[in-house]
Amino acid sequence: MNCELCTPENELLLWENGLCRVILVEDAHYPGFCRVIWNQHVKEMTDLTEDERQDFMQVVFAVESVVREVMHPDKINLASLGNMTPHLHWHVIPRYISDMHYPNPVWSSPQRAGMPAAPPDWRVNLARQLGQIQPHRKALSCHENSGSGQE
């Protein structure tokens, strides 16, 4: 099996725990575009246990909150497709009325030339704030510290 998310190359890692990781997607047209990737190779959300699904979505929602706070987008798109890469992951995409695809999905045909202006120091602020993601559920905390003897 050749899965680009199982064996990543040149990934800009922003945050991780034992279950998943958050990376920055380097796309000049979509600054702040993050991907939340489940670490084990599974295809669908229903391949996870109920607790794993809740833990995973908690991270997706935390990333959405941080991206909103740092990037000040007009809208956030959350997407989990996996048609091209059947490894469970979520896209967290800040959208701006001025971006080249708005209001359509970023994978559609461009509507115009456009490049949103990113806030100053957005990369540093995004990395710093994502680094502070704290799980709320005990289950995630236990997974995160697995093997350390701590809870």
Side-chain angles (χ1 to χ4, degrees), residues 49-110:
T49 67
E50 181 65 32
D51 284 345
E52 289 171 331
R53 286 191 293 257
Q54 289 179 16
D55 294 344
F56 192 35
M57 292 311 298
Q58 180 186 20
V59 174
V60 171
F61 298 145
V63 172
E64 177 188 352
S65 293
V66 169
V67 170
R68 287 182 68 194
E69 184 176 332
V70 171
M71 302 305 297
H72 309 289
D74 295 309
K75 179 73 175 93
I76 290 282
N77 288 172
L78 295 178
S80 179
L81 304 171
N83 297 332
M84 300 298 291
T85 306
H87 180 127
L88 189 56
H89 63 284
W90 281 82
H91 302 273
V92 180
I93 310 166
R95 299 299 306 277
Y96 301 89
I97 293 171
S98 63
D99 78 45
M100 61 194 280
H101 292 97
Y102 197 88
N104 296 333
V106 298
W107 299 284
S108 65
S109 298

Side-chain angles (χ1 to χ4, degrees), residues 112-129:
R112 70 193 68 73
M115 181 81 70
D121 298 325
W122 69 268
R123 288 175 192 266
V124 171
N125 292 330
L126 194 63
R128 181 176 54 242
Q129 289 191 40

